[in-house]
Amino acid sequence: MNHSILLTQQPSSPHSTLLLTPFLNPKPLQTLTNFITFNRRSNRYYRCRVHVVRCSVDQPSAVTDVFGGKKELTAVQSLVDSMTPAVRLASSVVIVAGAVAVGYGLGLRIGGNRYASLGGAVVLGAAGAGTVYALNSSVPEIAALSLHNYVAGSDPGDLKKEDIENIASRYGVSKQNEAFNKELCDIYCRYVSSVLPSDGEDLKGDEADIIIKFKNSLGIDDPDAAAMHMEIGRRIFRQRLETGDREADAQQRRAFQKLIYVSTLVFGGASGFLLPWKRVFKVTESQVEVAIRDNAQLLYASKLKLIGQDIHPEELISLRDAQLQCRLSDELAEDMFREHIRKLVEANISKSVNVLKSRTRTAKDARLIVDELDKILAFNNLLVSLKNHPDASRFARGVGPVSLIGGEYDGDRKMDDLKLLYRAYVADSLSGGRMEKEKLSALSQLRNIFGLGKREAESIAIEVTSKVYRKRLAESVTGGALEAADSKAAFLQNLCEELHFDPEKAIEIHEAIYRQNLQQYVSDGELSDDEVKSLERLQVMLCVPKQTVEKIHEDICGTLFEKVVKEAIAAGVDGYDVDVKQSVRKAAYGLRLTRGVAMSIAGKAVRKIFISYIQRSRASGSRTEAARELKKMIAFNNLVVTELVSDIKGESPEPTPEDKTIDVEAKPVDEEDNEEWEQLQTLRKVRPARSSTGRPGQTEITLKDDLPERDRADLYKTYLLYCLTGEVTRVPFGAQITTKKDDSEYGFLKQLGGILGLTDKEIVEVHRSLAEQAFTQQAEVILADGQLTKARVAQLNELQRQVGLPSEYAQKIIKNITSTKMAAALETAVGQGRLSIREIRELKGSGIELDVMVSKSLRQNLFKKTVDDIFSSGTGEFDEVEVYKKIPEDLGIDVDKARDVVHELARTRLSNSLVQAVSLLRQRNTLGVVSSLNDLLACDKAVPASPLSWEVPEELADLFSIYLKNDPAPEKLSRLQYLLNINDATVEALKEMKDCAEPTSQTSEEEFVF
């Protein structure tokens, strides 16, 4: 069974609990009285009444209801009660002695002998002793009744420990006597039940002190008192099991939590040992802590309700004492105090918001809003001062500035209301036309209280202050104060300081005012002289910089001028008549735009048209269609844009007689490019030195900043190809017909370069790249095999003359082609092993860069092959300088890595050469044996080796004998003797055998003995 249901919300089944708990009485629960017996010394159980009736100890009339009425004594109990312990003892002795004497006399009288008298004395003595025992055994019960009657007839608050001890000493009993202790426990249990609040009532906070005082007055031990607290808990638990509805169940649960809390306060630190809630009721430690915490919070909350906005240090000290008395943690106390403070402030805010949103708000109501906000600020200042108080450590926890975090106004929905209140307070602060310093501090505190961001608060303040600034500025202008001021800037600066307004924001207002006036003046499409003077006067008064004025004119007047320019452009080639020209000239002059601004506006509109032509050119399906779109753009530039530029500048549209012959050249050509202009055939046709008749196209509006250099070069290249090939018409079966080819197109090509904003250097680069492309394609066909003959040189020279490519570029292309072809051939030859180191050196001597044409891996493979050939040559020679230095330098590989490769190959070939020599020996191939032994010696020169071992030593001697007969050099023979591990005696014997052999050259291989 889990007794933790006492601390939970949901009740469990009463039937299952009755079956499982060992603490419940199987009999039906009595309505008014429950019983339990316990004695901590003898561990025996006795009954103790626990009345359900509760009443306040402050009402003396209810004492009888708490402890019950006085109990009447029987005649015998009254007799015993009237005796003192000494009288009771003497009476006991007299009764026993009298009974013995009477018994002795009766026995003697009746029996007539001594034995009868002794028997009568024993019988009546025993009866007297029984009577004495009965009288004395009723003393504890009589003492308990006397205690009950005394407590029932007295005020519990006036009860004293000495009175209880006097009652015990009067009857000669100990307080630990079973009957007396039982009555003490019953009285204590009844009193605790009466002190605990009834259903639905809250704790007052003094229950623990009252119970402790009464417990000390009774003199009851803590274990016995704790047992009574546990019994009250069992009674509450049983009542909860008998409860049928949720509400009563919740009340019993709360009553049990109150019992735990009060009991913990009564027994203090010993409560964990004396009150086994977890063991008896199967509740967890956290549930006990929750019960203590919740009741402590309720008590502390009741204390907080007495705290208002006029808080005093004494109240905070008292509140701190109450917190410690309630055993509430500092963290929870701090949170509760802050929450209480927040609710007080939220009440002011809610009242202000209601007034602010009222539709029938008056000026008096507006003042009420400010008053409520002032109360909040005053309360916040009070809390800040109390936080810094010398006795702040004795104050309740949580004293500090007001914060709305976690409350009703801590959310986005309520933030708008707080912003309205902040706006209202800012407006009230500026109602006098200036901002006082104390108001600035108040606004800063109010922003922190409301939790507004710095930017949000500044935005609200600037919005309100801007209106006040505009109002003060208008009054200064209309009143003449600003115009009469010696320094306009100082006057405006002083106005900003009075309002604590950002000068930058003031400048923005000045610009807005100037912009508004300009928009009014240009509503008819032009500015008159009076309007210009008025704007100049306004500029001086508001201290608007000239650059700003020009920008404003560009924005406003430029928009009007842009509209006129777009209408002129939309008129097209045929629609650009006298009326359009007049409207352009009027707008350019009437709006008082500078030539640079007017040209900038016109340039934006014109460039958009140029971009549209270019987009259509790129989207076309053929080169001819693309060139046609570019040609339309050139015509538009000549017929419309050029006239537009002339009208903006105010130039005469008709050419003068002196201007009828005009040089097409827009820019002088640099002297360093003269040679290229003369050599390239296409450049000679575009040469600016050629003259043409007619008015040239404008070059001030270009696409230089609108398109990347590569895109502009591609467009120029497209039209250049069109000039070279002419208009190409496709006919069925894939044929093409050139229908037109005229060099006059090169004049349009030059104009296209001006529209695209290409410099002479960029134009030369396009022509040269196209010539290089054509030359490269033809040269690759001519030099297909990479061989350059005299006939092919003649062909290349003719090709160079046809395309007009400069000689240095042609030679560079030819070199690249031949180098690429040769590199491929070298790669193939090296990969197939057809190149030796001798041939490599010949190629390097011819000026071929082997490092560039052959990859590093192939050169390394060539080195390995060369070294392997040296070790397998059969000569026995190894030149370290050649192998370690010269060959790596010729192949362009690392010397150290080359040395490692040689050593690795030498170690491998050393053992292989010995095996090969033995194999050839067995095949009776003497020449092969000598060659293999020479390879062995060559490997030994590269990497000196230790003597070699072989399974058949006689074969090593035969190898040495064959090599000896070949008349080798002494040093080779000596080194071979060392490597084959042959001693000097064997060598001498083999030499003698050689000398004794017949010196004939006709000796066959069969004469050798193996």
Side-chain angles (χ1 to χ4, degrees), residues 977-1006:
Q977 175 188 352
Y978 171 77
L979 292 175
L980 297 180
N981 198 14
I982 299 175
N983 54 35
D984 295 339
T986 305
V987 173
E988 292 298 331
L990 292 175
K991 287 182 178 180
E992 291 177 359
M993 290 176 62
K994 174 188 175 186
D995 295 337
C996 295
E998 183 180 355
T1000 174
S1001 61
Q1002 301 297 327
T1003 304
S1004 63
E1005 294 180 359
E1006 289 78 1

Side-chain angles (χ1 to χ4, degrees), residues 792-937:
R792 291 178 179 179
V793 170
Q795 287 181 322
L796 292 174
N797 291 335
E798 179 64 21
L799 178 61
Q800 174 189 350
R801 186 188 62 80
Q802 290 177 359
V803 299
L805 186 66
S807 176
E808 62 271 18
Y809 295 102
Q811 294 300 324
K812 182 178 180 181
I813 293 173
I814 294 172
K815 184 178 180 181
N816 289 337
I817 293 174
T818 55
S819 299
T820 303
K821 299 291 184 181
M822 186 176 295
L826 286 176
E827 289 272 356
T828 303
V830 172
Q832 296 177 356
R834 293 188 285 107
L835 278 181
S836 63
I837 189 62
R838 181 180 58 80
E839 294 170 336
I840 291 294
R841 287 171 177 169
E842 291 178 356
L843 291 174
K844 291 192 67 176
S846 301
I848 296 176
E849 297 179 357
L850 192 67
D851 298 348
V852 178
M853 294 186 178
V854 181
S855 63
K856 183 178 181 180
S857 60
L858 289 177
R859 286 184 275 118
Q860 290 176 348
N861 292 336
L862 180 59
F863 178 77
K864 290 181 180 179
K865 181 178 179 300
T866 302
V867 175
D868 191 66
D869 291 341
I870 293 174
F871 287 151
S872 60
S873 62
T875 61
E877 300 297 333
F878 181 82
D879 189 353
E880 294 185 358
V881 177
E882 175 73 11
V883 176
Y884 290 148
K885 185 176 180 181
K886 292 183 178 181
I887 297 178
E889 290 179 355
D890 293 336
L891 295 177
I893 60 178
D894 186 71
V895 176
D896 295 333
K897 292 183 178 179
R899 185 181 295 273
D900 295 338
V901 171
V902 171
H903 290 174
E904 182 179 357
L905 289 175
R907 294 188 187 96
T908 305
R909 292 286 302 178
L910 184 70
S911 58
N912 292 340
S913 298
L914 178 62
V915 173
Q916 186 178 5
V918 173
S919 177
L920 294 173
L921 175 66
R922 294 173 181 176
Q923 297 175 17
R924 299 184 179 183
N925 187 349
T926 57
L927 296 178
V929 170
V930 173
S931 179
S932 297
L933 292 177
N934 283 329
D935 293 340
L936 179 67
L937 292 172

Side-chain angles (χ1 to χ4, degrees), residues 659-700:
D659 296 335
K660 289 185 178 180
T661 302
I662 302 175
D663 191 357
V664 180
E665 180 184 5
K667 294 181 181 179
V669 182
D670 295 337
E671 294 181 0
E672 61 183 7
D673 295 332
N674 284 337
E675 184 179 354
E676 294 186 3
W677 281 87
E678 292 295 337
Q679 290 181 353
L680 292 174
Q681 182 180 2
T682 54
L683 274 178
R684 289 197 300 269
K685 296 179 180 180
V686 189
R687 177 71 175 176
R690 299 182 60 206
S691 300
S692 62
T693 59
R695 189 178 183 86
Q698 63 84 29
T699 56
E700 296 185 26

Side-chain angles (χ1 to χ4, degrees), residues 200-229:
E201 296 182 1
D202 295 330
L203 294 171
K204 297 180 180 179
D206 58 348
E207 290 83 358
D209 295 337
I210 294 175
I211 293 174
I212 292 173
K213 180 181 179 182
F214 186 76
K215 178 172 71 70
N216 295 333
S217 299
L218 282 180
I220 187 172
D221 295 336
D222 285 346
D224 295 336
M228 295 301 100
H229 284 262

Side-chain angles (χ1 to χ4, degrees), residues 303-313 315-316 319 337-352 370-386 399-400 402-404 449-450:
K303 302 295 183 182
L304 285 175
K305 291 180 181 179
L306 304 177
I307 302 298
Q309 292 188 359
D310 54 344
I311 190 170
H312 299 288
E315 295 176 339
L316 294 176
L319 197 60
F337 186 86
R338 291 185 180 277
E339 181 181 0
H340 178 70
I341 296 302
R342 185 179 64 247
K343 288 182 179 180
L344 294 177
V345 174
E346 286 176 352
N348 298 111
I349 294 175
S350 300
K351 186 176 181 180
S352 301
V370 178
D371 293 340
E372 292 296 328
L373 296 179
D374 285 335
K375 292 180 182 178
I376 296 175
L377 293 172
F379 185 42
N380 183 72
N381 292 331
L382 177 60
L383 291 175
V384 172
S385 64
L386 290 174
V399 177
V402 177
S403 176
L404 299 181
I449 293 173
F450 286 171

Side-chain angles (χ1 to χ4, degrees), residues 246-294:
R246 288 180 177 271
E247 183 177 357
D249 181 81
Q251 291 180 356
Q252 296 300 326
R253 178 181 58 81
R254 289 191 292 269
F256 187 76
Q257 290 180 334
K258 295 174 185 176
L259 173 65
I260 292 176
Y261 176 66
V262 173
S263 302
T264 303
L265 295 181
V266 169
F267 295 101
S271 59
F273 174 75
L274 296 175
L275 302 172
W277 306 111
K278 298 184 289 297
R279 177 173 59 82
V280 176
F281 297 101
K282 300 298 185 293
V283 296
T284 63
E285 183 70 27
S286 61
Q287 288 175 321
V288 174
E289 292 178 356
V290 168
I292 297 173
R293 182 197 64 193
D294 292 347

